Amino acid sequence: MYKNVLLMRNGCEGCSLKTCLGVLLAESLNAKVTAVYVTGNPTGQELRKICGADELKWAGAGRAGKEAMADADIRTEVLAKEALGWTEKMCSDRGIPCEKVRLSCNSPLRGVLKVAADNRCDVIVTSTHSNGVKDLLFDAMEAKTIGRSKIPVLFHHV
């Protein structure tokens, strides 16, 4: 049925349930795993949190902003390597082929859909973590975007 299972890894660094579910699904279907970590470009607010609000107010704000972007890239790269490495290990422990993909895109969700289409994935597996009204609204927007996909999506609510 499904021969290539895409696992969304971004934003779920601490969640082993999604990976377990997707890997177990791939194992039961004798499918390969495409583990993807997609990041968006940091917003101004995110940059201010990384380098501190006061640092961006002085005359060297441009340089501070560039340093903050570089710092954000390094932090994101570390998170991506950890998440994708953990998924790869889980797959190798079960003898499942795993392809790791890290992509930077304006919209992480659109990036996932692009990777799924480019790699000919048959199903997308993701987890949701609702922690209040804000998250529920975000999940609704996410569902609207991902609902446009021609690829089936398996949501696992944790």
Side-chain angles (χ1 to χ4, degrees), residues 20-130:
C20 291
L21 178 69
V23 169
L24 292 173
L25 176 66
E27 183 179 37
S28 69
L29 297 170
N30 198 27
K32 97 175 217 181
V33 168
T34 300
V36 62
Y37 194 103
V38 183
T39 56
N41 298 328
T43 65
Q45 283 185 323
E46 291 169 330
L47 289 176
R48 289 179 71 180
K49 285 180 185 175
I50 291 169
C51 69
D54 293 335
E55 290 185 38
L56 291 179
K57 291 180 182 176
W58 57 280
R63 185 176 45 124
K66 287 179 184 177
E67 291 171 2
M69 289 282 286
D71 188 41
D73 286 343
I74 290 168
R75 290 179 188 196
T76 302
E77 186 66 33
V78 168
L79 292 174
K81 282 182 181 180
E82 287 175 2
L84 294 173
W86 193 84
T87 305
E88 183 179 49
K89 181 184 179 331
M90 195 168 210
C91 288
S92 68
D93 289 348
R94 290 175 168 73
I96 301 167
C98 178
E99 179 181 354
K100 301 182 298 181
V101 179
R102 183 188 182 275
L103 178 68
S104 182
C105 184
N106 287 337
S107 165
L109 195 52
R110 286 196 176 96
V112 166
L113 295 175
K114 179 181 178 351
V115 170
D118 291 351
N119 292 15
R120 298 181 181 198
C121 296
D122 304 305
V123 63
I124 299 170
V125 178
T126 186
S127 291
T128 60
H129 305 271
S130 291

Side-chain angles (χ1 to χ4, degrees), residues 117-148:
D118 291 351
N119 292 15
R120 298 181 181 198
C121 296
D122 304 305
V123 63
I124 299 170
V125 178
T126 186
S127 291
T128 60
H129 305 271
S130 291
N131 292 323
V133 175
K134 181 181 173 188
D135 287 347
L136 287 173
L137 290 173
F138 179 75
D139 287 347
M141 291 187 310
E142 189 174 78
K144 182 178 178 182
T145 301
I146 209 156
R148 295 181 184 136

